[in-house]
């Protein structure tokens, strides 16, 4: 999950001096931000400081992180012509700064904790491209999906080509595992997921598997999509907090894949005893079985008390050791 960000004072200090895109594109800064949570908290992995929208630039999409508004896309994809104009991004030329950041972090970590690379999944990226930013009902995205199969296929195809090369390049640059974030895929029915998303996400995850690159496949609002997501691929499936962890794992298949999750990030705003009992519930549902990665069910929020995050990471280690 996202673990760097505005809840940390050291991040806010840097952020006052630089724009977000500038931070992503300056490997020294991106490496420093990646390492901030590693230095401050007893977490077991670093996730590279980048954003799911960065590959869109190399495809010809102009992105901006507007203050307080979230991401904005200035030239959204709305018709066949727009889709035809999209390029397939080249990892080395268009995203070399992310690869460089990975190399720097990898050298700095010298194996202390795992390094995670990532990308947005095809549906979530297509939704940003088409809607022009965040969305509630994904009306424009679904309209293209339902009305114009050729345009949808063209957009998804170019995203798949871009992401496959990008994730492989991340692995070559030091990422030990890559995570595919399908953050908004929960807006789809299982039938639509199978028709419009499954074929594309599957291509990326199969191609990674063929090269021996381990992956985590994450989405939110996916209780009924979990079996399909598992079928699409991923050595570990990420679950949000809207299901019990053990139910989610049963749906994925306990013997077929690992599970990552699934504490509600808002729980971290609660008094410590509430956080602790929520963590105990998750760990008890995992039952000490191998293949559970304790994590939040979605990215950490600004205003989260750092002390609770630290206490949680400590507690998860301590309680898991006690269980063994
Ligand atoms: O530890 C880390 O922070 C890892 C890096 C990371 C970022 N974005 C940096 C970032 C990761 C893994 C992401 C993924 C991402 N970005 C997703 C998928 C994961 C998820 O949470 O669903 C999505 C949907 C995005 C798109 C995005 N980027 C949004 C919606 C926003 C605005 C959110 C907000 O809080 O205003 C961003 C900006 C962004 N990307 C921030 C960070 C740390 C906030 C930065 C800031 O305002 O200073």
């Amino acid at each position: 999950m996202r673990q760097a960000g505005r809840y940390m004072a050291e991040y806010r200090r840097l952020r006052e001096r630089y724009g977000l895109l500038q931070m992503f594109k300056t490997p020294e800064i991106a490496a420093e931000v990646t390492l901030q949570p590693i230095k401050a908290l007893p977490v077991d992995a670093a996730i590279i400081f980048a954003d799911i929208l960065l590959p869109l630039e190399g495809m010809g999409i102009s992105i901006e992180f507007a203050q307080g508004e979230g991401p904005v896309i200035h030239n959204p994809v709305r018709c066949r012509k727009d889709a035809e104009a999209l390029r397939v991004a080249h990892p080395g030329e268009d995203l070399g700064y992310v690869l460089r950041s990975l190399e720097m972090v990898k050298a700095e970590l010298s194996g202390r904790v795992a390094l995670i690379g990532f990308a947005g999944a095809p549906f979530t990226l297509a939704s940003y491209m088409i809607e022009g930013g965040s969305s509630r009902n994904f009306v424009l995205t679904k309209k293209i999906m339902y009305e114009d199969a050729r345009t949808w296929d063209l957009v998804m195809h170019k995203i798949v080509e871009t992401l496959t090369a990008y994730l492989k390049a991340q692995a070559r640059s030091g990422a030990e595992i890559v995570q595919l974030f399908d953050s908004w895929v929960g807006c789809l029915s299982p039938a639509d997921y199978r028709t419009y998303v499954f074929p594309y996400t599957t291509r990326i995850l199969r191609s990674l598997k063929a090269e021996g690159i381990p992956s985590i496949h994450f989405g939110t609002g996916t209780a009924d999509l979990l079996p399909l997501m598992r079928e699409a691929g991923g050595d570990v499936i990420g679950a949000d907090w809207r299901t019990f962890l053990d139910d989610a794992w049963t749906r994925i298949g306990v013997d077929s894949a690992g599970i990552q999750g699934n504490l509600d990030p808002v729980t971290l705003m609660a008094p410590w005893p509430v956080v602790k009992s929520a963590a105990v519930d998750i760990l008890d549902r995992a039952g000490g079985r191998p293949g559970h990665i304790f994590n939040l069910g979605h990215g950490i929020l600004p205003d989260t008390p750092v002390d609770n995050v630290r206490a949680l990471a400590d507690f998860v280690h301590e309680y898991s050791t006690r269980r063994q």
Side-chain angles (χ1 to χ4, degrees), residues 1-6 11 15 20 23-24 33-34 37 46-53 65-71 118-120 124 128 134 179 181-184 218 220 298-302:
M1 286 306 111
R2 281 202 235 162
Q3 64 182 12
R6 285 167 290 181
Y11 177 88
R15 185 74 172 83
L20 199 48
M23 287 170 72
F24 294 134
V33 175
T34 305
I47 182 158
I48 196 68
F49 184 71
D51 197 85
I52 61 164
L53 300 178
F65 291 94
Q67 204 76 36
E69 271 182 61
F118 71 90
T124 292
Y128 277 107
S134 306
Q179 179 156 201
F181 284 100
D182 218 345
S183 303
W184 312 133
F218 167 82
T220 71
H298 206 171
I300 199 154
L301 295 163

